[in-house]
Amino acid sequence: MIDQLKENWLFASLTPEQLQRVASHAEHMQLIEGQHLFEQGDEARRFFLILSGQIKLFRLSPDGNEKVIEIFSAGQTFAEALMFHEHSCYPVCASALTDSEVISLHSKDFVSMLRESVDSCFLLMADMSLRLHSLIKEIDDLSLQSGTRRVASYLINLAGLDNDKFELDIPKGVMASRLSLKPETFSRIIKNLHDKNILTVSRRSIEIHNRKELQAIADACVIQNKTHQTSLTEDA
């Protein structure tokens, strides 16, 4: 477990003694697909490091609809920010999107150790700052981009530079929720891109036929964001 912890930024700078302390309060967990890790409103006593698989964070509306907030994959930690609240509860639910392996870590003991290590505190603050900027950008994206632009941008990022045929790593319904789209809206967007011969979808397999056009749609997101930001600066 210590070797696994050392591979993550949050623990990489810890001394052998600190790593041993963290490991002594940690639990190794195996989750099957769909298994819940914690429920919305549960006391936030622990945070988590994913070793394999994917964990979905989501909220349930009063009518039972699910809104996916974030999806975390191997190598990522989540729920660590809650350790700094004296009496905190998880604001979301967490469940395994696929069979997953996680390390569950004791929040209060980790905070006690951070009080003894200024370097560790600064590393944690730096990562949280990056996450905050990422979330702000996501809010801008969701409010400024059309559904088609969001889908195009997401697929271009998944494809990478030279890969025009790839497999979706999450179900389409989860992807739609992640992009703040209704499943039927997401399906219409995919069909429209298919009808324009930009891409085809077969189950979870995506093949891009016209990368230039898909990239143009995605690039419109960036242009619109820059225009909006310029306008805000001028207004200021």
Side-chain angles (χ1 to χ4, degrees), residues 61-75:
S61 64
D63 58 3
N65 289 326
E66 179 182 296
K67 164 57 183 167
V68 178
I69 304 300
E70 188 60 278
I71 296 170
F72 291 98
S73 301

Side-chain angles (χ1 to χ4, degrees), residues 188-202:
R188 284 198 298 270
I189 290 171
I190 292 296
K191 183 179 185 302
N192 184 48
L193 293 173
H194 175 272
D195 291 344
K196 292 179 179 179
N197 201 33
I198 294 175
L199 56 79
T200 55
V201 180
S202 178

Side-chain angles (χ1 to χ4, degrees), residues 13-228:
S13 64
L14 299 183
T15 66
E17 292 76 16
Q18 288 175 321
L19 283 168
Q20 183 61 52
R21 174 175 170 177
V22 172
S24 68
H25 291 85
E27 297 179 10
H28 207 149
M29 303 178 66
Q30 296 280 354
L31 304 173
I32 62 173
E33 180 180 348
Q35 183 176 347
H36 280 218
L37 188 59
F38 54 76
E39 302 289 344
Q40 182 176 329
D42 286 351
E43 185 177 355
R45 297 179 178 178
R46 308 187 75 84
F47 65 104
F48 306 88
L49 168 65
I50 305 176
L51 301 180
S52 65
Q54 293 179 312
I55 300 296
K56 173 181 67 174
L57 303 186
F58 62 97
R59 290 180 65 90
L60 293 175
S61 64
D63 58 3
N65 289 326
E66 179 182 296
K67 164 57 183 167
V68 178
I69 304 300
E70 188 60 278
I71 296 170
F72 291 98
S73 301
Q76 294 183 292
T77 57
F78 63 96
E80 65 270 24
L82 297 175
M83 73 175 82
F84 299 107
H85 296 268
E86 189 66 26
H87 302 289
S88 182
C89 296
Y90 296 116
V92 296
C93 305
S95 66
L97 194 57
T98 63
D99 290 349
S100 303
E101 182 181 5
V102 304
I103 295 178
S104 170
L105 300 131
H106 195 283
S107 296
K108 287 187 177 180
D109 185 72
F110 193 80
V111 169
S112 296
M113 189 181 65
L114 285 178
R115 295 180 188 277
E116 305 164 7
S117 172
V118 176
D119 289 341
S120 297
C121 288
F122 275 108
L123 284 171
L124 188 61
M125 289 167 60
D127 180 75
M128 289 184 173
S129 177
L130 290 174
R131 288 195 180 189
L132 177 60
H133 285 294
S134 176
L135 288 173
I136 291 174
K137 180 182 182 301
E138 182 174 340
I139 291 171
D140 286 340
D141 289 345
L142 291 174
S143 61
L144 297 175
Q145 299 170 14
S146 71
T148 300
R149 288 169 177 167
R150 295 203 299 271
V151 171
S153 180
Y154 190 86
L155 293 178
I156 283 290
N157 288 332
L158 281 182
L161 294 176
D162 303 310
N163 188 18
D164 285 338
K165 190 172 183 178
F166 56 95
E167 298 290 323
L168 295 177
D169 57 355
I170 59 176
K172 295 175 189 175
V174 175
M175 181 184 294
S177 180
R178 182 70 183 85
L179 296 174
S180 293
L181 295 170
K182 294 181 178 180
E184 55 270 25
T185 302
F186 179 78
S187 296
R188 284 198 298 270
I189 290 171
I190 292 296
K191 183 179 185 302
N192 184 48
L193 293 173
H194 175 272
D195 291 344
K196 292 179 179 179
N197 201 33
I198 294 175
L199 56 79
T200 55
V201 180
S202 178
R203 295 187 179 180
R204 289 196 182 186
S205 179
I206 301 282
E207 184 171 3
I208 299 173
H209 303 299
N210 190 335
R211 175 180 280 266
K212 183 178 180 180
E213 181 64 22
L214 189 64
Q215 185 68 62
I217 296 171
D219 287 344
C221 305
V222 178
I223 293 171
Q224 189 172 9
N225 276 341
K226 287 183 177 178
T227 301
H228 176 73

